[in-house]
Amino acid sequence: MIHTHENGITCQDLLLNLSSYIDGDLEESMCEELKRHMEGCQNCRVVFDTTTRTIYLYQSRIERDEIPPEVRERLYSKLNLDDFLKTKA
Amino acid sequence: MTEIEPELSLDLLRAGDRNELARLVEAYSPSIYRLASRMLGNAQDAEDVLQTTFLKVFKALADFEGRSSLSTWIYRIAANEALMMMRRKQPAYSLDEEVEDEEGGTYQPKEMADWSALPEAQLLDVEAQKQLDRAIQTLPAKLRSVFLLRDVEGLSIRETAEALSLTETNVKTRLLRARLFLREQLSAYYTEKMALEK
């Protein structure tokens, strides 16, 4: 993965800035340069797309996790809040 | 993802108002259980961490000064409990030595297949979900805690740094490594899956 775009941005630059780019924490001018780099660099485009997809998949997977009812009951019991157990919708 | 922080009265919480304490538990227990489960990969350990976290929160509320938000403070207690549980379970396992080359060389992606356009039903089928679970358990614990708080629970970089007693720079470095590590693991899996289906 060694590639330098004509504007001087390298694959290494993209990698170092990948997280900040995904999180929208970069200056607009830097974002534009990274975008231009990815237009000419298939590998960096793939790394960007698959990384954002990876984050999304974990968010989708884990947000489905729920506390099992018996775990919730034992927690409320441990905290002496049993009488509030029925309040959940 | 992070639940919207409910409007809880700190005064009532500090005074031990049971109704307010129950609201606090209702609001944060799903997130804390999720974090503990994924940090530890074991339901019993996760439940222990969940209970200990809230016992400690209740005990320490009177001294909570509000320097960070209530949610960050609770995450901080939970993350500490989870890391202590790991140390107890694996005493020979040093978390301090786990992340090498912290600020050094960049992790180099190897898997270059583009699986990002696969249909979601395929990316998250039962087998793929198991792979996601396996991959996150192979992620070094120090990277896992950062990934879970930032990318799954939706804390900001600053909040993640506060919750884990790290600098923001450290959080950013670990987050990048965590994301690339998981990307690599999933890429290997989905590439094989695509090849088998051809």
Side-chain angles (χ1 to χ4, degrees):
Chain A
M1 192 175 167
I2 301 166
H3 177 254
T4 307
H5 193 269
E6 57 194 13
N7 64 5
I9 289 283
T10 65
C11 301
Q12 202 64 19
D13 293 330
L14 183 122
L15 210 52
L16 286 170
N17 288 289
L18 183 66
S19 263
S20 304
Y21 183 55
I22 288 171
D23 292 341
D25 286 341
L26 289 180
E27 300 267 328
E28 187 55 35
S29 59
M30 186 60 172
C31 290
E32 287 304 318
E33 288 193 42
L34 294 178
K35 256 186 231 166
R36 274 205 300 279
H37 174 86
M38 283 193 283
E39 280 166 14
C41 182
Q42 170 69 9
N43 279 352
C44 282
R45 166 54 64 184
V46 169
V47 170
F48 171 76
D49 286 343
T50 49
T51 304
T52 49
R53 204 71 175 138
T54 296
I55 297 166
Y56 169 78
L57 288 176
Y58 273 103
Q59 288 169 346
S60 305
R61 165 77 182 126
I62 298 179
E63 75 182 356
R64 297 178 193 185
D65 286 359
E66 284 186 2
I67 298 191
E70 64 278 13
V71 172
R72 182 170 173 268
E73 279 170 27
R74 288 194 289 267
L75 173 66
Y76 276 68
S77 172
K78 188 88 177 176
L79 300 171
N80 295 319
L81 293 171
D82 309 64
D83 46 326
F84 290 91
L85 265 172
K86 289 177 191 160
T87 58
K88 193 182 182 186
Chain B
M1 301 293 289
T2 313
E3 277 75 21
I4 295 165
E5 189 157 334
E7 285 188 23
L8 291 162
S9 160
L10 264 183
D11 289 338
L12 288 174
L13 288 170
R14 286 188 184 117
D17 182 280
R18 294 183 72 251
N19 189 53
E20 205 67 355
L21 290 171
R23 289 182 64 220
L24 174 104
V25 175
E26 198 57 40
Y28 291 109
S29 53
S31 303
I32 300 305
Y33 184 72
R34 208 159 46 212
L35 174 70
S37 303
R38 298 297 172 170
M39 282 282 288
L40 299 161
N42 174 295
Q44 184 56 56
D45 291 347
E47 183 172 352
D48 288 349
V49 165
L50 176 73
Q51 291 187 358
T52 313
T53 297
F54 280 101
L55 286 170
K56 289 200 170 176
V57 165
F58 281 18
K59 203 172 170 190
L61 263 170
D63 300 319
F64 173 64
E65 292 173 352
R67 278 197 293 253
S68 60
S69 70
L70 188 61
S71 62
T72 305
W73 180 68
I74 296 172
Y75 277 122
R76 185 185 172 95
I77 293 173
N80 273 336
E81 285 304 313
L83 291 169
M84 279 196 290
M85 172 75 80
M86 278 184 201
R87 289 196 181 100
R88 274 200 299 276
K89 293 265 167 173
Q90 295 172 276
Y93 180 72
S94 169
L95 288 168
D96 297 329
E97 291 167 10
E98 192 186 59
V99 180
E100 291 174 5
D101 201 17
E102 183 89 43
E103 309 297 338
T106 316
Y107 181 81
Q108 292 299 328
K110 295 182 188 73
E111 300 282 347
M112 288 301 172
D114 189 1
W115 48 269
S116 62
L118 284 174
E120 190 163 329
Q122 203 175 340
L123 288 170
L124 279 174
D125 66 20
V126 174
E127 191 197 310
Q129 288 186 26
K130 284 182 187 162
Q131 177 58 27
L132 284 160
D133 295 349
R134 277 195 295 271
I136 201 162
Q137 288 308 314
T138 63
L139 184 63
K142 280 186 166 183
L143 303 186
R144 204 183 316 149
S145 53
V146 169
F147 180 79
L148 287 170
L149 287 175
R150 173 75 186 103
D151 279 343
V152 178
E153 296 304 326
L155 272 65
S156 68
I157 296 283
R158 186 177 57 78
E159 290 167 336
T160 306
E162 282 175 8
L164 297 172
S165 301
L166 296 170
T167 64
E168 291 187 29
T169 305
N170 270 335
V171 168
K172 287 180 184 174
T173 307
R174 290 183 190 186
L175 184 63
L176 175 64
R177 291 172 68 90
R179 287 168 166 179
L180 290 174
F181 180 99
L182 292 172
R183 186 209 80 90
E184 204 70 15
Q185 303 279 314
L186 297 194
S187 291
Y189 170 74
Y190 289 123
T191 303
E192 199 181 320
K193 198 168 170 146
M194 286 193 297
L196 285 172
E197 281 168 14
K198 270 183 187 169

